[in-house]
Amino acid sequence: MATRERIPRNGLTIRELAERAGVDPRTIKRWTSDPREVYLSRAEQRRLRIRELRETGLSMRTIANEVGCSVGTVHNALKDQPEDES
């Protein structure tokens, strides 16, 4: 399967783009989403960064602001940490 580039949404919702382009929202989602491998790789890098920041003693809220995610995402990244790495 060929690798494709993600098309940026430029702040528009999937529904707005679908209406403008006259296509189904699922088509827009397919055009604007990262390939799964890219998404999973970026998510793993974010989890590693969260753990590194937590080891420095930063609060979850500070880490969330630094990484650009929600406090819940930080909590889940720390909660899902394998036992041997704690």
Side-chain angles (χ1 to χ4, degrees):
M1 189 161 146
T3 304
R4 60 175 175 71
E5 289 292 319
R6 175 185 169 273
I7 300 171
R9 292 192 339 215
N10 298 327
L12 297 173
T13 67
I14 289 174
R15 182 176 297 179
E16 289 170 335
L17 287 172
E19 288 173 1
R20 286 185 182 189
V23 297
D24 192 87
R26 289 175 291 190
T27 301
I28 298 297
K29 191 172 185 178
R30 190 173 55 247
W31 289 349
T32 61
S33 297
D34 284 326
R36 183 161 181 80
E37 307 80 39
V38 173
Y39 170 79
L40 292 174
S41 173
R42 193 168 350 111
E44 182 59 29
Q45 290 171 359
R46 182 176 59 207
R47 282 189 293 273
L48 291 173
R49 179 74 177 138
I50 288 169
R51 291 177 191 149
E52 289 171 0
L53 291 172
R54 187 61 172 184
E55 288 174 3
T56 66
L58 294 177
S59 70
M60 286 195 206
R61 184 167 290 161
T62 304
I63 294 170
N65 289 333
E66 176 77 23
V67 176
C69 64
S70 71
V71 175
T73 299
V74 173
H75 173 77
N76 287 333
L78 296 171
K79 178 184 71 163
D80 295 339
Q81 185 170 305
E83 291 299 320
D84 56 82
E85 291 184 21
S86 320

